[in-house]
């Protein structure tokens, strides 16, 4: 049976946010979980009306939590970024995938005497250190080069027991070889991906390759699949629930990505709100090939504020 | 039904090369197709007995052809490498994946006014130029850096109509963003992979991430699959046959990889000989998960010489 696009679009069960259902949503949840990139900001630019919307939600007693797959910063660095944009957020309210990687190792009793090789940026190294682990690699190895010459033997640390891969703007062949050797040759070495986002708004003007690019490179050379700790994996949800004692059904996940944010929310049993201020367009949501449907969708976060009125 | 490994190994139909079947093989084929890395050399070191074996095959009137997935060199550069190792091979006998990429564009009438962005090394750029195409990128872009800062707009050439990705020891975020933007934003832009080898003996002492690593990175950021022109794709076989007028059933493909060399030979209907002097071990061949079986297997190329005797 062939259906045309218009008919298929009718199949999408997402409700456009209205003043009516926005009120229902607000009344039915105790916590809002926000993705950051494409929802709160684009690059280093705050999206219009975000600050006022967050203030309104706090004034109504809602718990606010920020769940981001971007691993370049630590919780501390994110709190600082929020502050620089004029928004007060505490470290405890931030759940970034750099933190998730460190917590994954902690809850799995990763031995303290083993090391962690990082293909990624400062945020991962900082979270590893805060959790009591020894990180290697990261930005420092971005300056290192290799020479494919006879008798050149690339040495790697045999005590590396995990390789964490996230977004790395200083990716190079040295790091690819280092991570590959650890995963292929160190017995039982874990391969942890902060996330697998294809691209992200690393700057306000355009998208750039995301962690999914670096993770895929290591999959390509090792022929192994990673453990993913960021969205849509529900690993972080356990921490959220433990911390805030709120049932998932009383949470609403707000994000700009179907395959990470909305799926993360749905996997956990949260309500979900898709905003079109990031990477997902109306046509992507309604495309017949898309099977991930948020409960609600709207152009941007501050629509909630406008719809609820003064 | 559970079978133990020994029973499953009995299922493998590959014959160990013997003086008997080596003679049969020699009598039944007119041409030998050789992979280079792991068969002829490791890095820059010739594998023992290769030179004498090639001499013997030539003396018996066999046509010799070298088919390599390594895209870092052009045919001209490969002929030079053979010469430096004391083996005389003409450019016409060399079919490398850098040449395959250029030929793919040629046979598909890629418009001369469009440009080709290269994530890879000198060999691809040289072959593109010889075929009359304009290449961009390559080693030169290995020195370029990006800054993820506000108002930074990464510009790419809108006339790029193809991105060719091969092994690139100078891979960086600049190239990943450039290739990603071309494939995502230039209408109809082709995504061509020289090959998808996970690793290769880029040096004699160890394996390094192969083109499969860089290709996977671009798949990760573009969410697109490439056109593969190297082994196991049979694209090069058309050229071989046109050039040498030899039926595939009269050819024997000799290689060290199951998923590229042996599969390439089998896909084309050639006889296949696996050598254990490269990346594949006996246990990999006999592993129950392996479904690619060469007709023959032996430790190294020069076994042919020894088995046939003086």
């Amino acid at each position: 049976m062939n259906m045309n696009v218009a008919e298929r679009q009718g199949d999408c069960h997402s409700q456009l946010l209205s003043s009516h259902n926005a009120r229902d949503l607000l009344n039915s949840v105790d916590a809002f979980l926000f993705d950051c990139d494409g929802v709160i900001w684009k690059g280093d630019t705050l999206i219009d009306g975000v600050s006022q919307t967050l203030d309104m939600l706090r004034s109504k007693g809602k718990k606010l939590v920020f769940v981001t797959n971007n691993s370049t910063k630590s919780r501390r660095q994110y709190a600082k970024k929020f502050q620089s944009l004029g928004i007060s957020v505490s470290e405890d309210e931030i759940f970034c995938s750099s933190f998730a990687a460190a917590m994954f190792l902690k809850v799995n009793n990763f031995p303290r005497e083993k090391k962690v090789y990082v293909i990624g940026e400062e945020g991962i190294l900082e979270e590893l250190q805060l959790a009591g682990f020894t990180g290697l690699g990261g930005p420092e190895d971005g300056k290192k080069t290799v020479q494919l010459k006879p008798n050149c033997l690339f040495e790697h640390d045999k005590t590396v027991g995990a390789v964490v891969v996230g977004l790395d703007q200083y990716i190079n062949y040295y790091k690819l070889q280092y991570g590959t050797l650890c995963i292929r040759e160190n017995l039982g070495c874990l391969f942890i991906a902060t996330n697998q986002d294809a691209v992200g708004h690393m700057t306000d003007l355009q998208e750039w390759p995301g962690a999914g690019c670096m993770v895929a490179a290591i999959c390509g050379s090792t022929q192994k699949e990673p453990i993913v700790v960021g969205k849509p994996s529900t690993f972080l949800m356990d921490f959220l629930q433990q911390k805030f004692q709120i049932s998932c059904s009383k949470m609403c996940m707000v994000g700009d990505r179907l395959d990470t944010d909305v799926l993360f929310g749905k996997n956990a049993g949260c309500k979900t709100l898709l905003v079109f201020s990031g990477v997902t367009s109306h046509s992507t949501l309604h495309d017949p090939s898309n099977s991930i449907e948020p409960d609600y969708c709207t152009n941007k976060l501050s629509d909630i504020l406008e719809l609820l009125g003064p």
Side-chain angles (χ1 to χ4, degrees), chain A:
Chain A
M1 189 177 68
N2 279 316
M3 286 191 287
N4 66 34
V5 175
E7 281 168 329
R8 286 300 305 263
Q9 285 193 5
D11 287 353
C12 180
H13 299 96
S14 301
Q15 294 180 44
L16 203 63
L17 209 61
S18 66
S19 54
H20 182 70
N21 61 22
R23 197 164 301 275
D24 285 349
L25 174 64
L26 208 70
N27 290 335
S28 67
V29 301
D30 296 332
F32 280 88
L33 278 51
F34 299 100
D35 175 41
C36 296
D37 186 25
V39 178
I40 305 293
W41 55 60
K42 278 199 172 190
D44 289 318
T45 308
L46 207 60
I47 294 174
D48 270 356
V50 161
S51 186
Q52 299 86 325
T53 311
L54 296 180
D55 286 346
M56 178 273 286
L57 292 172
R58 279 206 203 271
S59 76
K60 293 200 184 292
K62 304 302 172 188
K63 180 76 209 156
L64 307 187
V65 182
F66 301 87
V67 188
T68 172
N69 267 354
N70 192 323
S71 62
T72 58
K73 292 184 172 64
S74 62
R75 301 176 106 186
R76 185 188 60 81
Q77 291 170 312
Y78 269 113
K80 229 170 129 184
K81 175 166 181 173
F82 274 103
Q83 199 176 16
S84 76
L85 294 170
I87 299 177
S88 175
V89 167
S90 87
E91 289 184 30
D92 282 355
E93 293 172 315
I94 299 164
F95 292 81
C96 44
S97 65
S98 50
F99 173 70
M103 287 306 105
F104 180 86
L105 293 172
K106 199 168 183 180
V107 301
N108 286 284
N109 300 314
F110 184 76
R112 305 264 151 194
E113 67 275 15
K114 290 214 170 188
K115 301 195 186 92
V116 183
Y117 188 74
V118 176
I119 297 179
E121 305 200 5
E122 202 49 46
I124 300 173
L125 286 169
E126 186 167 318
E127 291 295 352
L128 286 173
Q129 194 183 13
L130 287 169
F133 299 115
T134 307
L136 296 177
E140 200 180 292
D141 282 1
K143 297 164 207 139
K144 295 186 182 160
T145 55
V146 289
Q147 287 205 301
L148 294 178
K149 287 195 170 167
N151 299 318
C152 148
L153 184 68
F154 189 102
E155 303 268 13
H156 73 285
D157 190 323
K158 307 292 190 296
T159 68
V160 168
V163 175
V164 174
V165 185
L167 172 66
D168 190 338
Q169 62 178 303
Y170 308 108
I171 187 75
N172 61 14
Y173 200 56
Y174 179 96
K175 294 188 196 185
L176 292 170
Q177 169 71 334
Y178 206 110
T180 301
L181 283 179
C182 292
I183 293 169
R184 285 173 75 105
E185 299 188 2
N186 291 4
L187 196 70
C189 183
L190 300 171
F191 170 19
I192 298 170
T194 59
N195 68 94
Q196 294 183 295
D197 293 5
V199 290
H201 262 284
M202 314 311 166
T203 61
D204 43 349
L205 295 179
Q206 67 194 151
E207 291 177 348
W208 298 74
C213 177
M214 292 81 209
V215 171
I218 295 295
C219 292
S221 58
T222 60
Q223 307 273 284
K224 298 222 167 125
E225 288 300 313
I227 299 159
V228 182
V229 293
K231 296 174 285 184
S233 145
T234 52
F235 173 75
L236 274 177
M237 196 55 90
D238 295 338
F239 281 86
L240 278 168
Q241 290 195 282
Q242 229 172 341
K243 173 94 190 149
F244 302 116
Q245 306 288 329
I246 298 174
S247 140
C248 287
S249 66
K250 298 289 250 176
M251 295 181 185
C252 177
M253 175 71 210
V254 186
D256 71 323
R257 281 175 197 269
L258 292 164
D259 59 349
T260 52
D261 303 323
V262 174
L263 193 57
F264 173 75
K266 288 178 87 82
N267 283 345
C270 304
K271 292 198 169 54
T272 52
L273 166 62
L274 177 76
V275 291
F276 295 113
S277 51
V279 299
T280 306
S281 63
H282 286 79
S283 60
T284 306
L285 171 64
H286 294 295
D287 193 275
S289 68
N290 171 46
S291 61
I292 305 168
E293 295 180 353
D295 297 306
Y296 305 98
C297 59
T298 196
N299 285 328
K300 56 185 192 305
L301 184 60
S302 62
D303 292 347
I304 300 180
L305 190 67
E306 284 178 31
L307 289 167
L308 292 176

